[in-house]
Amino acid sequence: MKRVFAMQNEWMNPFPIILFYVIHAIVVLLIYGLISRRMKEENKATWQWITAVSLFLPVIGELFGLVVWFVAGKWGTNDMLDDYDQYVNYKPLMLEQLRTEAKMSDELLPFTEAFSDEGNKQRKDLILRLINSRIVDKGKYLNLGLNNNDSETVHYAATTMNHLIDNYEKELHLRKQEHETGNASTLEPLLLTYDSYLNSGLLQEAAYKRLEQSYIDLMEEEVSNGVEAKVLFHMLGEAYLSRSQKEQGMATLTMLIEHFPSEPEGYLSKIRFYYQEKDWKAIQSTLAELRESVPKERIPHNQQFVLDQMWGTAQ
């Protein structure tokens, strides 16, 4: 009986357990310290995570970590662990942009409701308001009108769409007449008109592709003529990326940064691209270049909040 009580007392004594945890933690940290010097930089995040789990769950943590490492190496989920420490440090890049768009929703909501509510009597007035509205993709809402069951609404939507297309065509023709090849000052208004027309939502797929190709051909010609304009490099880089011509797009944005290192457009476009690609390390390096080269007051207000957050996490 005494022997049983003695065994129970030994089991209830916390000292051996604490001693085991301490010795185990020291061994784990020593092993990590030795192997971390030889491992590749991209693998450190994974082993830091395994080490942290092992410190709290002796033996089980090591086994679980090795299983995860094996699965990662075999099925490619290793990228998730490697990038996790980078990913959690970044808030969504478009947060401030979303706030700006939320403010505009008060203007967009009446159009959406008008075309979805069959009993709405103000559709005609709202359609006509689109002509002078600040809304960018007007075609989106006019297409809702074209698909409406009310014939009068369809008529007003079609008439307004034709009117807007006609206005864009006239403005584009005028800008082309005013433009002198190789003249950056007359090129910018022309490119802005192209960009606005392409983003209007008024064009069908075939017409959109023709206009987009004309837009890109013009910019490529101006680059070959030696024009070094900020708006030219920026719009051409963005146009390439929108067509998934990633190498050409990034090369053009690099040219933009080389020619205008103190302007933010090239850096911001690269950061947006890297965010879509989930390339956190490229974001860090581009962010560092932006911070070093661009005065803070030159960064657009709706991007400033995001960059402030990123600069805080990157330091």
Side-chain angles (χ1 to χ4, degrees), residues 24 28 49-63 65:
H24 175 267
V28 168
W49 178 80
I50 294 174
T51 301
V53 173
S54 300
L55 290 174
F56 289 98
L57 296 172
V59 182
I60 297 175
E62 285 90 334
L63 293 175

Side-chain angles (χ1 to χ4, degrees), residues 65-219:
L66 291 174
V67 169
V68 171
W69 179 256
F70 173 77
V71 171
K74 190 169 183 178
W75 283 285
T77 56
N78 189 47
D79 291 340
M80 180 182 70
L81 294 174
D82 288 340
D83 290 341
Y84 179 74
D85 62 329
Q86 302 289 339
Y87 180 78
V88 297
N89 285 332
Y90 287 104
K91 297 178 173 64
L93 289 183
M94 300 308 292
L95 178 59
E96 188 64 17
Q97 186 66 30
L98 290 174
R99 292 181 177 181
T100 303
E101 291 174 1
K103 293 178 182 178
M104 296 175 61
S105 64
D106 290 339
E107 184 177 1
L108 300 178
L109 187 59
F111 293 102
T112 306
E113 289 183 343
F115 293 124
S116 60
D117 181 7
E118 293 297 330
N120 196 306
K121 303 299 183 183
Q122 298 184 10
R123 283 193 292 266
K124 293 181 291 184
D125 293 335
L126 287 170
I127 289 172
L128 294 175
R129 277 175 52 192
L130 275 171
I131 295 175
N132 297 316
S133 170
R134 294 182 296 111
I135 296 173
V136 176
D137 53 344
K138 298 177 182 180
K140 171 183 176 182
Y141 299 95
L142 289 172
N143 279 311
L144 290 174
L146 291 175
N147 293 318
N148 197 273
N149 293 327
D150 179 53
S151 60
E152 192 173 20
T153 299
V154 174
H155 170 72
Y156 270 86
T159 302
T160 302
M161 180 173 284
N162 289 333
H163 175 74
L164 290 172
I165 290 174
D166 186 55
N167 283 351
Y168 271 117
E169 291 290 344
K170 289 178 179 177
E171 183 179 0
L172 190 61
H173 179 70
L174 177 63
R175 297 301 184 189
K176 286 180 178 179
Q177 286 185 322
E178 294 174 344
H179 174 55
E180 301 173 1
T181 301
N183 187 334
S185 63
T186 60
L187 176 63
E188 183 170 354
L190 176 56
L191 294 182
L192 292 174
T193 302
Y194 264 112
D195 183 65
S196 179
Y197 196 5
L198 287 168
N199 290 307
S200 67
L202 297 169
L203 297 169
Q204 299 300 317
E205 184 177 1
Y208 180 92
K209 288 183 177 179
R210 285 195 300 271
L211 186 68
E212 183 186 46
Q213 190 60 55
S214 172
Y215 175 53
I216 290 177
D217 289 344
L218 168 67
M219 292 189 287

Side-chain angles (χ1 to χ4, degrees), residues 93 237-238 241-242 244-247 249-250 253 266-279 282-283:
L93 289 183
E238 290 283 0
L241 293 179
S242 71
S244 298
Q245 295 175 254
K246 297 179 182 180
E247 291 185 7
M250 296 305 284
L253 293 175
Y267 304 98
L268 294 175
S269 292
K270 278 192 169 186
I271 289 172
R272 282 191 291 270
F273 171 77
Y274 289 136
Y275 183 79
Q276 293 170 357
E277 298 291 306
K278 295 181 173 58
D279 191 341
I283 288 178

Side-chain angles (χ1 to χ4, degrees), residues 15 20 26 73 78 98 101 113 115 207 265 294 306:
F15 179 75
F20 169 74
I26 293 172
N78 189 47
L98 290 174
E101 291 174 1
E113 289 183 343
F115 293 124
E265 286 82 1
V294 181
V306 176

